[in-house]
């Protein structure tokens, strides 16, 4: 017991009782510790498996790049590899197998037959109707006719009966007339 300033005795056990039910038991402490250890182990395993996956993908990409570089005829010396990794390499569609990932062959054919003065604003392919519709703008009707001729000769579009429609003046861009066009096609 202790006396306060006024000389009164204070029993701290009565004034501030200890609540033993609020103190965590050793079992609770062990369970909390196990929870944190297991959480850490799970996070470590996830990061390790992600690292392994990325490492495998990196090796696969490096082998694909080495194959593509060898197809292009570049040397395989260490200096050559460092130099080739620093420069952008154009690789053919066959070496990357672009179509195996589901990219549309029709869009690839359109990208191979492009013109800087002709651009598409809407592209529509219908497998059900076996039709296509291309809408866009051009600043040169001559370039549009050249593009139209190349599309008709393209192997993928040779089965379509293509028609160039609706060539009309839309507005002027930097003093040059802009024309709106529509190319439609039905499979023969």
């Amino acid at each position: 017991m202790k006396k306060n300033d006024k000389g009164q005795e204070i029993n701290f056990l009565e004034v501030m009782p200890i609540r033993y039910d609020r103190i965590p038991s050793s079992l609770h402490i062990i369970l909390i510790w196990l929870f944190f250890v297991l959480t850490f182990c799970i996070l470590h395993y996830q990061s390790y498996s992600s690292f392994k996956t990325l490492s495998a993908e990196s090796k696969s990409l490096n082998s694909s790049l080495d194959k593509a570089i060898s197809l292009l005829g570049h040397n395989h010396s260490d200096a050559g590899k460092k130099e080739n990794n620093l420069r952008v390499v154009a690789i053919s569609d066959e070496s990357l197998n672009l179509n195996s990932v589901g990219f549309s062959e029709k869009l690839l054919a359109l990208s191979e037959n492009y013109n800087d003065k002709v651009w598409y604003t809407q592209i529509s392919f219908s497998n059900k109707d076996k039709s296509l519709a291309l809408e866009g703008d051009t600043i040169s009707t001559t370039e549009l006719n050249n593009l139209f001729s190349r599309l008709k000769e393209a192997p993928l579009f040779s089965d379509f009966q293509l028609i160039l429609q609706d060539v009309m003046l839309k507005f002027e861009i930097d003093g040059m007339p802009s024309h709106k066009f529509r190319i439609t096609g039905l499979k023969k």
Side-chain angles (χ1 to χ4, degrees):
M1 291 207 189
K2 189 171 185 179
K3 293 187 177 184
N4 64 5
D5 296 338
K6 296 180 183 179
Q8 299 173 332
E9 292 184 5
I10 300 175
N11 186 352
F12 284 106
L13 294 177
E14 291 177 7
V15 175
M16 297 176 50
I18 298 174
R19 304 231 16 217
Y20 291 102
D21 58 334
R22 290 191 180 178
I23 296 175
S25 67
S26 56
L27 178 64
H28 286 114
I29 293 172
I30 292 171
L31 288 176
I32 291 171
W33 183 82
L34 281 175
F35 171 77
F36 285 114
V37 168
L38 286 175
T39 304
F40 174 76
C41 290
I42 290 170
L43 291 174
H44 179 70
Y45 175 75
Q46 287 176 343
S47 65
Y48 179 74
S49 62
S50 297
F51 173 76
K52 285 293 215 180
T53 304
L54 288 174
S55 177
E57 288 176 5
S58 173
K59 288 178 184 177
S60 172
L61 288 174
N62 283 338
S63 66
S64 296
L65 182 61
D66 287 343
K67 179 183 174 186
I69 289 173
S70 69
L71 289 173
L72 292 172
H74 292 284
N75 62 4
H76 284 280
S77 68
D78 288 336
K81 280 186 180 181
K82 288 178 184 175
E83 180 181 318
N84 287 332
N85 287 339
L86 294 176
R87 111 173 76 143
V88 176
V89 179
I91 301 171
S92 66
D93 294 344
E94 293 83 23
S95 66
L96 289 179
N97 297 322
L98 286 179
N99 292 338
S100 68
V101 295
F103 198 75
S104 170
E105 291 178 348
K106 293 173 186 166
L107 290 176
L108 284 173
L110 282 177
S111 70
E112 290 168 357
N113 295 292
Y114 74 95
N115 190 307
D116 292 342
K117 296 181 179 162
V118 180
W119 57 95
Y120 301 110
T121 57
Q122 187 172 3
I123 299 171
S124 173
F125 298 112
S126 173
N127 290 334
K128 181 180 174 186
D129 299 335
K130 297 182 180 178
S131 65
L132 65 90
L134 306 170
E135 294 182 18
D137 298 316
T138 181
I139 56 174
S140 171
T141 55
T142 305
E143 295 297 331
L144 175 62
N145 287 326
N146 291 341
L147 176 71
F148 182 67
S149 299
R150 284 198 320 263
L151 284 177
K152 286 172 68 173
E153 294 169 2
L156 195 65
F157 298 117
S158 62
D159 294 344
F160 287 88
Q161 183 176 356
L162 296 176
I163 301 169
L164 179 59
Q165 313 173 321
D166 302 327
V167 177
M168 61 181 166
L169 185 63
K170 183 178 170 187
F171 55 85
E172 289 193 10
I173 299 175
D174 295 331
M176 300 179 74
S178 170
H179 299 276
K180 188 156 187 64
F181 69 90
R182 180 176 171 86
I183 299 174
T184 58
L186 289 172
K187 203 156 197 173
K188 297 176 187 176

